[in-house]
Amino acid sequence: MALKATIYKADLNIANMDVHQYGDYQLTMAQHPSETIERLMVRVLAYARFADERLEFTKDLFETDEPALWQKDLTGQLEKWIEVGSPDEDKVKKASARCKEVAVITYGSSVDEWYKRNSKLKTLKNVQVWQLSERTTEAIQKLCERTMQLQLNVMDGEWTLIGDHAQAEIEWTQLQ
């Protein structure tokens, strides 16, 4: 029998004083049986970085031709394509041709090697590449619960994600 997804819910409150963005978002995420808690929580941070009412989680690991998140306009056309992890360069190039904005949120010990190996990404003008530090991904895992209440505060470029029992300083590096 095939393993089923585990459902996680998060009430995410964002107070980003740097860009004057404030909002409450109710997130429902399906954790693929092969997905780690680390990757699940990175998807939450990816949502937080690009938060919008129309941004949604996709089938992602269940459907390999979909990103972790996407945003469509009111006509159904793709606007944002957000990958999590170290995606294949060809997949990012195809997304770049289809969308106004593409982002990759990458993490882990092999990011530098992945980024060097995928050097053609640097030629794509509408692609952003963000790296999360290993310290960040370790800390956000402690915030994970099946039902989460999360508060994200951003001020002067400093990101703090607060849960019921812990908090994490979020360290972003923009590679592109």
Side-chain angles (χ1 to χ4, degrees), residues 7-170:
I7 303 301
Y8 286 81
K9 293 184 180 283
D11 288 331
L12 176 63
N13 176 273
I14 297 176
N16 187 335
M17 279 129 317
D18 289 355
V19 296
H20 304 290
Q21 176 195 22
Y22 307 94
D24 291 306
Y25 304 90
Q26 283 71 46
L27 310 179
T28 301
M29 300 157 292
Q31 180 190 24
H32 188 276
S34 68
E35 184 178 30
T36 63
I37 293 295
E38 179 182 36
R39 187 177 189 283
L40 177 81
M41 293 303 291
V42 169
R43 288 197 291 141
V44 171
L45 288 179
Y47 188 98
R49 174 158 283 288
F50 298 97
D52 187 281
E53 290 297 329
R54 290 179 290 144
L55 185 62
E56 58 186 298
F57 294 100
T58 67
K59 293 179 181 171
D60 190 17
L61 294 175
F62 294 97
E63 293 287 334
T64 57
D65 61 337
E66 293 183 2
L69 299 108
W70 63 23
Q71 181 176 320
K72 296 179 180 180
D73 66 15
L74 296 175
T75 67
Q77 294 294 313
L78 284 170
E79 292 179 316
K80 288 182 187 171
W81 180 285
I82 303 169
E83 292 282 353
V84 169
S86 302
D88 181 64
E89 184 177 65
D90 289 337
K91 186 176 180 183
V92 177
K93 284 171 44 180
K94 285 178 189 174
S96 173
R98 294 174 60 189
C99 299
K100 294 178 193 172
E101 187 177 348
V102 177
V104 177
I105 309 298
T106 189
Y107 62 96
S109 59
S110 60
V111 170
D112 293 336
E113 180 184 317
W114 169 82
Y115 195 55
K116 285 178 191 169
R117 201 175 55 246
N118 293 285
S119 60
K120 291 180 185 168
L121 294 179
K122 295 176 183 132
T123 65
L124 305 173
K125 301 296 181 208
N126 62 336
V127 175
Q128 301 175 39
V129 179
W130 293 91
Q131 179 181 7
L132 287 165
S133 72
E134 288 186 55
R135 186 167 61 194
T136 293
T137 59
E138 286 174 18
I140 61 175
Q141 291 178 70
K142 295 175 184 154
L143 301 173
C144 187
E145 297 177 32
R146 290 286 299 274
T147 302
M148 299 175 261
Q149 301 291 318
L150 300 172
Q151 168 70 44
L152 175 66
N153 297 322
V154 181
M155 187 165 71
D156 298 330
E158 293 184 17
W159 287 50
T160 306
L161 187 62
I162 304 165
D164 288 337
H165 307 291
Q167 72 179 36
E169 301 300 319
I170 311 302

